[in-house]
């Protein structure tokens, strides 16, 4: 029953309609805006999280691990390494 339905489904018309809706509703732009907003919202969350870890000494090992992780992940190597300018 299901296999028969899938064989007779109007695939081309469905894909064409989805493509037209994607263009008309500007879903690419909407997805990009949501991604940007989410990333901007994560910065205060991480700041508060690190502040809470700093306030309580029992979280000191987790705080050190998180700081190392963020430095390795977010800071490029050529910036993280100390330079020997004379």
């Amino acid at each position: 029953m299901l296999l028969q339905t899938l064989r007779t489904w109007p695939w081309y018309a469905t894909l064409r309609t989805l493509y037209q809706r994607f263009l008309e509703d500007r879903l690419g732009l909407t997805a990009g805006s949501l991604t940007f907003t989410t990333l901007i919202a994560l910065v205060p969350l991480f700041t508060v999280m690190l502040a809470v870890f700093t306030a309580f000494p029992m979280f000191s090992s987790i705080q050190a691990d998180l700081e190392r992780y963020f430095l390795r992940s977010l800071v490029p190597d050529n910036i993280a390494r100390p330079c020997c300018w004379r």
Side-chain angles (χ1 to χ4, degrees):
M1 177 78 179
L2 178 63
L3 191 57
Q4 182 63 28
T5 303
L6 290 176
R7 284 185 186 149
T8 59
W9 187 265
W11 291 107
Y12 179 72
T14 302
L15 291 176
R16 187 181 63 220
T17 303
L18 286 175
Y19 180 72
Q20 287 173 348
R21 289 292 306 267
F22 184 84
L23 292 178
E24 289 172 4
D25 294 339
R26 298 169 43 182
L27 293 180
L29 183 65
T30 303
S33 297
L34 287 173
T35 302
F36 181 74
T37 304
T38 302
L39 288 176
I40 294 297
L42 287 177
V43 172
L45 174 69
F46 287 138
T47 304
V48 169
M49 187 173 64
L50 285 174
V52 167
F53 286 153
T54 304
F56 298 103
M58 64 184 172
F59 294 126
S60 63
S61 65
I62 296 173
Q63 178 187 358
D65 291 340
L66 276 173
E67 287 175 358
R68 270 193 302 273
Y69 171 74
F70 286 143
L71 280 175
R72 272 186 281 138
S73 322
L74 302 175
V75 178
D77 287 338
N78 58 350
I79 295 175
R81 273 186 271 131
C83 184
C84 46
W85 292 95
R86 292 183 185 196

